[in-house]
Amino acid sequence: MSLVPFMVCRLHNAGIQVILDVVYNHTAELDDKHPYLISMRGIDNMTCYMVDPSQYVQLINLSGCGNTVNANHPVVKQLIIDSLVHFVEEYHVDGFRFDLASCLCRGEGDPSMNE
């Protein structure tokens, strides 16, 4: 049993709201030099990550962590939304702080992709 719902309940009872720090801009996959298939990369690299197949290093690294999650793809977007709903419904958190949120809304044709 997770202690998180208990902790959130106790904090709420003390009048403290709970804001969860979430990271959806990258995963632990690292980069093309270390292609460990431990996360979404082993499921569907081209869907789950921003890639540039014309380059030797294909994973686009806007996060500084070796990869950038393709949050604009409908499947990935739904995964993110489902997890946020889960945190609200099951853990009763009050809000979220999105790590590097600007990475979540970038896509093909974005001028900042070339910087």
Side-chain angles (χ1 to χ4, degrees):
M1 179 178 158
S2 173
L3 295 176
V4 174
F6 176 75
M7 175 196 67
V8 172
C9 181
R10 294 293 298 258
L11 289 168
H12 283 164
N13 288 342
I16 300 171
Q17 291 186 327
V18 178
I19 306 300
L20 188 62
D21 186 27
V22 293
V23 179
Y24 292 110
N25 60 72
H26 68 88
T27 66
E29 293 286 5
L30 294 177
D31 52 26
D32 286 318
K33 294 179 186 175
H34 307 92
Y36 305 125
L37 303 178
I38 58 174
S39 191
M40 298 186 301
R41 193 166 184 191
I43 297 170
D44 189 349
N45 186 51
M46 299 293 284
T47 295
C48 297
Y49 295 97
M50 298 182 85
V51 295
D52 183 354
S54 69
Q55 299 296 316
Y56 177 73
V57 175
Q58 294 185 354
L59 286 174
I60 295 173
N61 182 16
L62 300 174
S63 66
C65 297
N67 64 71
T68 304
V69 171
N70 187 12
N72 290 317
H73 191 281
V75 171
V76 179
K77 187 184 301 184
Q78 192 61 53
L79 178 68
I80 292 170
I81 291 169
D82 288 348
S83 70
L84 293 169
V85 169
H86 176 78
F87 286 126
V88 170
E89 291 179 349
E90 299 298 322
Y91 295 93
H92 306 287
V93 299
D94 300 294
F96 301 96
R97 181 244 172 216
F98 293 87
D99 183 63
L100 289 174
S102 63
C103 289
L104 300 175
C105 57
R106 295 194 179 171
E108 292 182 34
D110 185 338
S112 61
M113 295 283 289
N114 299 324
E115 296 176 359

